[in-house]
Amino acid sequence: MSVDGEAVGPDGEVDEPGWEVDPDDEWGVAVITMVGRQLKLLREAAGLRAAEFGALVGYGEDLVYKVEAGKRIPRREYLVDADRVLNANGVIEATWEDVKKVRYPKRVRELGKLEAKAVEIGVYESQSINGLLQTPEHARALFQAAQPPYSPDDVERMVAARLARQSVFERDPSPSLHFVLEEAPLCRRVGGTMMWRQQLERLLEVGRLRNVTLQVMPTNSDPHPGLDGRIELLKFPDGTAVGRADGVFNGRPVSEPKHLRILELQYGTIRAEALPPRESLAFIEQLLGET
């Protein structure tokens, strides 16, 4: 069986990737260290050894030590079980709200915070399908293709972070989301035919949402401002905005109105040259039908 991300069998425990603490993430290390220290103090106050506690909650002694030492990110089930056994009245279980964020890389957490606040998000992608639109399998295949390769732990961490950002589709009220994707990445069969079909089906599903506009830029289109790379624009309820583009301002995020006007002009031009939403969905349906 699997216990807190570790497969437990006759030969012992084997770590599952994606639950190690990133030593370069100072906030994440602080959170997991604090939670581990709290768990250890409560366990000792209850008069339980690590092995005894592990037996009561169904986890191995080695994993208990890792969590308490701040070297392992506990799953929610671990915290729930620990809360019950130690009679913590919900105090331990409540730490999950911070613990779950530690699994996501720092830079992705920061992007996720901005996306969670935005009332309008506009994205143009030139080389791949945007992360907000990717299936888990598609995202994993892309991360696994990186050179030099990521460790399995890093791959799973980044996949989890990418999927967490997709909660933007579940927000109420819903933000306005605009995507422009180049044709070429849509035709690249990442992970094989079945995985590619699932990704196209996901695009159709999202593209039919009332708050989403999905457009395809045909390969045979005229030159446009997006040929230098990705463009992102996020607008917030107070009227402020932030954006970035690979081709201007050295790719750094900008929030000054004069710089945002340039990005909005580029993005507006790209949307005008791309296929209209209805034709874009029909194009994706055609690709799906060709398999």
Side-chain angles (χ1 to χ4, degrees):
M1 66 176 178
S2 178
V3 176
D4 195 16
E6 300 188 358
V8 182
D11 298 326
E13 296 179 347
V14 179
D15 284 349
E16 180 190 37
W19 294 89
E20 300 296 334
V21 182
D22 182 356
D24 296 326
D25 184 355
E26 295 180 1
W27 179 83
V29 170
V31 168
I32 300 306
T33 300
M34 180 273 294
V35 171
R37 186 180 298 117
Q38 186 179 31
L39 284 164
K40 183 178 181 181
L41 289 172
L42 289 171
R43 174 180 61 76
E44 291 177 342
L48 294 172
R49 297 178 180 178
E52 294 172 330
F53 171 74
L56 287 172
V57 297
Y59 295 90
E61 180 182 5
D62 183 57
L63 184 140
V64 172
Y65 280 127
K66 286 181 180 179
V67 171
E68 292 183 352
K71 296 180 179 179
R72 186 73 170 170
I73 304 171
R75 290 198 182 195
R76 184 174 188 176
E77 292 81 3
Y78 184 99
L79 298 175
V80 170
D81 290 340
D83 196 286
R84 170 179 52 81
V85 169
L86 299 174
N87 297 314
N89 298 317
V91 173
I92 295 176
E93 184 179 354
T95 63
W96 173 248
E97 289 305 312
D98 285 327
V99 169
K100 67 181 180 181
K101 299 174 185 175
V102 179
R103 198 179 178 205
Y104 313 145
K106 181 179 178 180
R107 59 182 179 81
V108 178
R109 289 202 305 266
E110 294 171 347
L111 176 59
K113 288 179 181 178
L114 291 176
E115 291 172 342
K117 296 177 182 177
V119 294
E120 183 176 345
I121 299 175
V123 180
Y124 161 76
E125 284 284 358
S126 59
Q127 301 298 324
S128 63
I129 294 171
N130 185 261
L132 291 176
L133 302 172
Q134 292 175 10
T135 65
E137 295 77 14
H138 187 97
R140 185 174 291 105
L142 292 181
F143 288 132
Q144 290 174 337
Q147 290 294 336
Y150 293 115
S151 70
D153 191 75
D154 285 339
V155 169
E156 294 307 315
R157 191 191 305 273
M158 290 186 288
V159 170
R162 182 154 294 180
L163 297 182
R165 287 174 50 213
Q166 295 180 8
S167 63
V168 68
F169 293 107
E170 302 169 3
R171 280 174 47 195
D172 186 17
S174 303
S176 180
L177 304 170
H178 311 275
F179 299 95
V180 181
L181 307 176
E182 285 286 346
E183 174 184 343
L186 300 181
C187 298
R188 185 174 296 118
R189 302 195 178 196
V190 174
T193 299
M194 289 304 299
M195 194 178 296
W196 177 64
R197 284 184 59 87
Q198 291 171 355
Q199 180 59 69
L200 293 180
E201 290 170 351
R202 173 60 177 166
L203 292 179
L204 291 174
E205 177 187 359
V206 174
R208 291 173 179 140
L209 296 175
R210 290 193 304 169
N211 62 314
V212 174
T213 300
L214 180 61
Q215 295 179 259
V216 174
M217 180 69 75
T219 301
N220 62 1
S221 64
D222 293 332
H224 58 76
L227 295 180
D228 288 330
R230 177 189 303 171
I231 297 175
E232 299 169 282
L233 281 167
L234 287 81
K235 299 181 180 180
F236 307 105
D238 62 359
T240 61
V242 65
R244 66 168 299 279
D246 290 343
V248 292
F249 312 124
N250 295 318
R252 71 179 190 277
V254 296
S255 57
E256 300 88 344
K258 63 180 180 180
H259 294 156
L260 289 171
R261 279 196 293 271
I262 294 175
L263 297 186
E264 289 174 344
L265 175 61
Q266 291 186 342
Y267 190 60
T269 302
I270 290 170
R271 291 191 65 188
E273 295 189 18
L275 295 176
R278 183 174 298 179
E279 293 181 24
S280 295
L281 294 181
F283 178 85
I284 296 172
E285 288 174 341
Q286 181 180 346
L287 287 178
L288 192 57
E290 292 175 357
T291 58

